[in-house]
Amino acid sequence: MMHTRFLLVAAILIPPAALAQNCAALTSVDAKLLPNPSTTIDSATTNAQPGHCEVLGKINERTGINSQHYAIRFHLRLPAAWNGGFFFEGGGGSNGNLGNALGNLQGQQPSNALSLGYAVVSQDSGHDNATNNDPERNGNATFGFDPQARRDLGYNSYDQVTQAAKALIRVYYGRPASRSYFVGCSEGGREAMMMSQRFPDYFDGILACAPGFKLPKAALFGHAWDARSLGEAAKAAGVYDRFGQPFLNKTFTDEDLDLASQAVLAACDALDGLADGVVDNFPACTAAVVAPQLAAITCKGAKRTTCLTAAQVAAIRKLYGGAKSSQGEALYADWAWDRGLGGKAGDSYYQGWRVWKMGPFDAAGNSAIIAALGSSSVSAVFTTPPTPVPMNGAGPLAFLNSIDLDRDAAKLYATSGEFTESAWDFMLASSTDLSKFKARHGKLVIVHGVSDPVFSINDTISWWNDVNRLNNGNAAEFVRMFAVPGMNHCSGGPATDRYDAFAALVAWTEKNTAPVKIVATAGAASPWPGRTRPLCAYPQQARYTGSGSIEDAANFACQ
Ligand SMILES: [Ca+2]
C-alpha cells in the first residue's frame, strides 16, 4: 500500500535579522529544553553561503580514569532556508574529529545536505585526536583506556548528540524536524547501521556506506590475517623494514597488483555476459575460477615484471580466503575476487586497496593503514583490557603480528574491572533484528564497494541474507544493499563510484518509492570517464540488454 508518511509542510525561511537574533540566543538556551543538563553551547554564530546559524557545543565534559580530558563535542548548522529535515553526518576511522557539519551525501556528490536545506550535525564521538593523543600509548586511540570514552565511540555519543541536535532544532525553528536521516561511510556506516538497531526510533532513513558493522572483528582478525598473508610474501622476498618487520609495502609493486587485477578480469569479466572491465557477477568469481589465471601469471623462473612469484600468488590467495583459526574456522569473512586490488601504476586513484593492506610501494617504512589505525584500535579499544602499544618504530605492525588468532578472540568478548562492556558489545552493529526500525517504516540503504579492502562485501551480503531469512524473504521492503563493482573503501578504484544514494533514500523514505537501481557514473580518473551504470539492489546484478552503447546505463537492466 502506498502511503505518505510526512505532512507536506512548507519550508521555513527565517529573515536575516531574526536569524542572527535567534542564533545568538542559543548560547543562553534554557537548559531545561535540552535532554542532557550537562550540555553547553560554546558558540552560536551566523554564517553565509548558505545563510545559517553555526553552533558548537559539548556534552558531558569530564576527566577519564586515564586522567585524559574528554567531552562529546558537536557541530550543528541550522540553515535559514530550512527544508524541515535533520541530517546526522557519521564519522570515520576511530573518530576524534568534530567534522564540518556540511552533510556529506556520500557517493562523491557535488552538493551537501546543508545546501539542500537540512539542519546538519557532526560530532567527535567523545574524544579529540588533537588532545587525546599519546604516541607512547596507542596514539589517538588512547581514549580506549577509558571505559566511558569506549561507550561514547560505540553508541552513546550518537544517542546524546541526536537528542541534543533535535532539541536545538525545536528551539531554533519553533517546531521539530519533520524527518531525520543518518548518513555515513566506514565507521560512519557502522554508526548508521547501529542506529537502526539500537536507536530505531531516531531516524526515518539511514544510508550506510562500506559499513564496518563488525569493525572489531574486521580489525582484530581481518587486519592481522592480511598482515600475516603479506608478511609471508615479504619474508619470501627478504624485504624487511629498519625495525626488522616484514616490509609489507615492498611485497607488490603497482605493476604486480595490476597483473593480479588483470588476471581476475580475465577470469571473471565475461561471467556477466559482457567483457567491459566490470565484474558484475562477482559472486560467481570464486577462488577456483580465478586460480587458473593466477597460475598463468606465476613466474616459471626468476621474477620479471610480467609475472608474480609463487609466494606473491600464495599471499594473495591466502589473503582473499579470509582470516581463519588454526582449526580452519572462519573468524571474519573472505573477500570478493574483483579487479579493484590494482589498476594503473602510480595513479593514486588506484591505490585505494594497497594503501590499506600494504601502503604505497615507495614509502620509507611500513605504512599500511591496517598497521597504524588497525593496530592502535585493536590494542586500545577492541580488546579488553587495553594493551599499551607505542605508535612508532616497530610497534604497530609488531603488535598486529603478535595477535594469536586462536587465543586472542577471547579479548573481544572479555570484560575486566571498570571495563564492564566488551568491545563486541559496545561496538555492536550487526544485529539482524531490525523489527522495530521496520515497524516504524524506517528505510535502510547500504552501498558497498566489491573491492573494499577494509570491510568485506561478502560479510555485508551474508548479513543481508540473514535479515532476509528472518523477514521471510521480504527484507527488501525496508533494507536494500547496492554493490559497486571495482570500488574500494567508500570511493576510488576502477569503478562507477559517483552515485546519489541519498536521493534514492529520500524518495524511498518520503514517497515510498523503493530504489530498484541507482545510476552511477565513472570519474575522470577511471578507465572509462563518464560511463554510467545502474547499481542494482542485491541480489540483482546489472546486465547489458544487448544493444546500444555499453557506456550508457540506459542499456543495462537489473536482473
Ligand atoms: Ca563484465
Side-chain angles (χ1 to χ4, degrees):
M1 188 185 76
M2 291 294 290
H3 60 273
T4 301
R5 299 184 42 229
F6 300 96
L7 291 174
L8 294 173
V9 289
I12 282 187
L13 183 61
I14 302 177
L19 171 73
Q21 196 179 354
N22 295 1
C23 188
L26 285 179
T27 54
S28 52
V29 63
D30 185 345
K32 287 198 293 291
L33 297 173
L34 299 177
N36 186 325
S38 76
T39 307
T40 59
I41 305 301
D42 298 329
S43 69
T45 50
T46 53
N47 221 324
Q49 293 178 334
H52 67 278
C53 175
E54 180 178 7
V55 182
L56 294 173
K58 56 181 174 292
I59 304 168
N60 196 23
E61 193 169 14
R62 66 192 176 84
T63 301
I65 67 165
N66 61 340
S67 303
Q68 295 254 325
H69 188 74
Y70 296 102
I72 301 168
R73 298 184 308 141
F74 63 88
H75 191 179
L76 175 67
R77 294 184 193 266
L78 303 160
W82 184 44
N83 71 4
F86 167 50
F87 185 106
F88 196 131
E89 177 178 87
S94 56
N95 287 341
N97 293 301
L98 187 56
N100 61 20
L102 294 173
N104 186 343
L105 304 175
Q106 299 300 327
Q108 304 192 80
Q109 293 304 290
S111 185
N112 59 46
L114 181 68
S115 65
L116 295 179
Y118 289 92
V120 182
V121 77
S122 60
Q123 58 122 14
D124 67 3
S125 87
H127 64 273
D128 182 348
N129 290 340
T131 55
N132 303 127
N133 194 330
D134 181 350
E136 292 302 318
R137 204 175 173 88
N138 310 62
N140 60 21
T142 201
F143 71 89
F145 289 79
D146 176 69
Q148 183 57 41
R150 287 177 162 212
R151 276 191 288 274
D152 286 346
L153 171 78
Y155 58 88
N156 183 56
S157 65
Y158 321 98
D159 176 17
Q160 297 295 325
V161 171
T162 300
Q163 292 194 50
K166 286 187 171 184
L168 287 165
I169 285 169
R170 201 179 300 117
V171 169
Y172 187 68
Y173 295 110
R175 71 171 205 225
S178 60
R179 71 273 189 203
S180 300
Y181 294 98
F182 195 107
V183 175
C185 197
S186 189
E187 154 63 16
R190 180 197 72 86
E191 296 160 12
M193 286 179 66
M194 180 276 295
M195 291 314 261
S196 72
Q197 299 160 17
R198 203 186 278 260
F199 305 104
D201 294 333
Y202 282 2
F203 293 93
D204 305 295
I206 293 178
L207 173 58
C209 298
F213 67 110
K214 292 182 194 163
L215 215 170
K217 281 189 178 178
L220 176 65
F221 302 130
H223 293 358
W225 186 262
D226 289 346
R228 209 148 302 190
S229 304
L230 295 170
E232 288 171 9
K235 288 172 191 167
V239 286
Y240 296 87
D241 70 9
R242 64 194 171 96
F243 306 107
Q245 294 294 313
F247 202 165
L248 306 189
N249 301 63
K250 301 293 187 191
T251 53
F252 289 81
T253 64
D254 287 0
E255 290 81 1
D256 289 342
L257 282 182
D258 195 28
L259 274 178
S261 170
Q262 294 300 327
V264 176
L265 261 191
C268 299
D269 189 351
L271 292 176
D272 53 36
L274 180 67
D276 58 345
V278 181
V279 181
D280 276 303
N281 194 2
F282 65 90
C285 187
T286 61
V289 170
V290 174
Q293 294 296 334
L294 288 177
I297 58 164
T298 305
C299 302
K300 304 292 186 283
K303 172 78 175 89
R304 301 189 314 276
T305 54
T306 53
C307 65
L308 300 181
T309 66
Q312 285 178 309
V313 171
I316 287 194
R317 290 180 57 105
K318 179 173 177 174
L319 184 155
Y320 269 81
K324 292 184 183 65
S325 71
S326 60
Q327 303 301 309
E329 174 201 4
L331 297 171
Y332 169 53
D334 60 0
W335 301 86
W337 287 95
D338 187 21
R339 70 170 295 189
L341 76 167
K344 291 179 204 164
D347 188 327
S348 64
Y349 203 71
Y350 295 92
Q351 303 263 320
W353 194 86
R354 76 170 298 148
V355 292
W356 280 90
K357 305 280 199 192
M358 58 186 76
F361 184 82
D362 289 334
N366 265 299
S367 65
I369 301 176
I370 59 167
L373 174 63
S375 193
S376 61
S377 299
V378 169
S379 56
V381 189
F382 300 152
T383 48
T384 304
T387 306
V389 173
M391 284 296 115
N392 47 35
L397 188 58
F399 174 79
L400 211 52
N401 284 329
S402 76
I403 289 171
D404 184 313
L405 291 168
D406 291 332
R407 283 207 315 268
D408 289 348
K411 297 178 182 171
L412 194 58
Y413 307 105
T415 58
S416 170
E418 299 190 66
F419 297 93
T420 56
E421 280 180 80
S422 77
W424 185 247
D425 284 341
F426 69 72
M427 288 297 285
L428 192 68
S430 57
S431 170
T432 51
D433 180 6
L434 301 180
S435 54
K436 288 181 180 157
F437 186 66
K438 178 188 177 186
R440 68 181 299 272
H441 305 293
K443 299 292 185 282
L444 172 59
V445 169
I446 299 172
V447 182
H448 205 150
V450 180
S451 285
D452 186 337
V454 194
F455 305 120
S456 171
I457 191 173
N458 287 353
D459 200 34
T460 305
I461 287 172
S462 168
W463 174 88
W464 189 88
N465 284 330
D466 288 345
V467 174
N468 198 36
R469 266 190 293 279
L470 207 58
N471 286 275
N472 305 310
N474 296 316
E477 288 176 2
F478 66 98
V479 51
R480 297 190 179 202
M481 200 283 293
F482 297 83
V484 188
M487 189 171 82
N488 296 144
H489 190 51
C490 299
S491 66
T496 52
D497 66 347
R498 282 132 210 270
Y499 50 84
D500 195 350
F502 180 67
L505 173 68
V506 169
W508 196 11
T509 305
E510 299 181 22
K511 297 178 180 146
N512 209 28
T513 308
V516 175
K517 62 182 179 185
I518 298 172
V519 174
T521 307
S526 80
W528 347 269
R531 168 183 280 188
T532 59
R533 282 298 162 80
L535 308 178
C536 301
Y538 178 85
Q540 292 198 326
Q541 299 169 6
R543 287 288 183 277
Y544 182 48
T545 54
S547 62
S549 168
I550 66 164
E551 307 304 323
D552 187 347
N555 301 316
F556 289 77
C558 289
Q559 60 188 55

